[in-house]
Amino acid sequence: MLELKNVSFEVSQNGADKEIIRDISFVIPDEKFTVITGPNGGGKSTLARLIAGIQKPTSGQILWNGEDITEKGITERARMGISYAFQQPVRFKGVTVLDLLRLAKGQDLTVSGACEYLSRVGLCAKDYINREVDASLSGGELKRIEIATVLARGTKMSVFDEPEAGIDLWSFQNLIQVFEKMHQQIQGSILIISHQERILNIADEILVIGNGQVTDHGKKEDILPKLLGSSSAVNICKGRS
């Protein structure tokens, strides 16, 4: 279980402090699919980086299964079971997909085992297993390979920051299916930052962030109708199909 207690985060801009996250508190239950959404510039991606340990709060606490991890960095949190996927997956020239999966697994991984992870994200293993993780791969391919590495790690919480960014409609449709299968197959929590209605539709819970604060949080059945009926729905659910 992930819990944030009175978390705030501010940065210095032009000699003045600007508060990005303001006194946020919430709980992400175990084995739930949660989507964080809200208007652009509301602090969603900053919140994801705070959860992953890329940035540290100015004040407040972040607890993971009851343990205070506020001062722990991304590497320590990864060891504790929190994965983070960037908006734009990193490319690794000279590193093959098999190498990357073996690094993610953290132990010996057979070729057949690596192929199984690729198959689970809808990729033909024989076409990708020896490919380099470089510019020859499309955005959609990189996203699915990144998800395969998250599956290989088997972490208890997987955080994705706008996974739909930079991919085409066909890749996005396949990405939805991958997340649906991932939710069914893993015994862990999924946390996604997204504007997309189709991603919101497959969530268990939705948390809405605006102006650095939680404006709503609850079951999808309760939150989504309010979002779609609000004046901000066009911004929150843009690009839906």
Side-chain angles (χ1 to χ4, degrees):
M1 182 177 73
L2 180 76
E3 183 176 5
L4 274 67
K5 289 185 175 181
N6 306 112
V7 169
S8 295
F9 177 75
E10 60 184 36
V11 295
S12 180
Q13 289 187 346
N14 301 320
D17 292 334
K18 180 180 179 181
E19 204 167 34
I20 308 297
I21 298 294
R22 295 188 288 160
D23 197 32
I24 279 182
S25 298
F26 62 82
V27 173
I28 301 294
D30 291 335
E31 299 186 18
K32 293 290 185 182
F33 189 137
T34 303
V35 176
I36 297 179
T37 193
N40 288 330
K44 303 182 301 299
S45 290
T46 298
L47 187 58
R49 292 193 291 271
L50 290 171
I51 290 170
I54 297 171
Q55 294 173 313
K56 293 183 180 179
T58 307
S59 61
Q61 285 182 300
I62 300 176
L63 305 177
W64 175 242
N65 295 326
E67 181 178 349
D68 190 338
I69 61 170
T70 311
E71 297 301 318
K72 295 185 184 298
I74 186 170
T75 301
E76 292 173 288
R77 295 190 197 189
R79 291 189 185 123
M80 297 176 75
I82 300 175
S83 292
Y84 178 79
F86 293 87
Q87 271 191 37
Q88 300 297 331
V90 180
R91 299 174 190 268
F92 301 94
K93 188 175 181 180
V95 176
T96 67
V97 172
L98 178 58
D99 294 334
L100 195 62
L101 287 167
R102 282 176 169 166
L103 285 169
K105 187 68 174 175
Q107 61 188 46
D108 290 338
L109 180 67
T110 64
V111 172
S112 61
C115 289
E116 182 180 340
Y117 288 120
L118 291 173
S119 297
R120 285 169 66 180
V121 297
L123 294 176
C124 179
K126 67 181 179 64
D127 293 338
Y128 289 91
I129 196 72
N130 293 314
R131 291 274 299 274
E132 288 192 14
V133 188
D134 58 15
S136 68
L137 295 168
S138 71
E141 289 170 327
L142 280 169
K143 289 286 174 70
R144 284 193 275 177
I145 289 167
E146 186 174 48
I147 295 170
T149 65
V150 171
L151 291 172
R153 289 199 60 225
T155 49
K156 290 296 183 182
M157 171 163 280
S158 306
V159 182
F160 296 89
D161 187 4
E162 296 196 26
E164 69 272 16
I167 64 173
D168 56 40
L169 180 60
W170 185 88
S171 296
F172 176 66
Q173 290 170 338
N174 282 274
L175 198 65
I176 295 294
Q177 295 174 0
V178 169
F179 282 129
E180 286 178 318
K181 288 181 181 177
M182 186 178 177
H183 187 30
Q184 295 166 2
Q185 293 169 351
I186 69 167
Q187 293 182 328
S189 303
I190 300 172
L191 179 62
I192 297 182
I193 310 297
S194 182
H195 292 287
Q196 294 284 346
E197 183 186 346
R198 288 190 62 189
I199 292 181
L200 293 168
N201 261 318
I202 60 175
D204 296 317
E205 295 191 345
I206 296 173
L207 191 151
V208 186
I209 301 290
N211 295 318
Q213 295 181 302
V214 176
T215 60
D216 214 344
H217 184 197
K219 294 180 180 179
K220 172 193 68 181
E221 292 78 9
D222 298 327
I223 305 299
L224 189 54
K226 290 190 284 184
L227 287 178
L228 297 179
S230 72
S231 59
S232 59
V234 172
N235 290 325
I236 293 175
C237 300
K238 66 180 182 180
R240 61 188 179 182
S241 58

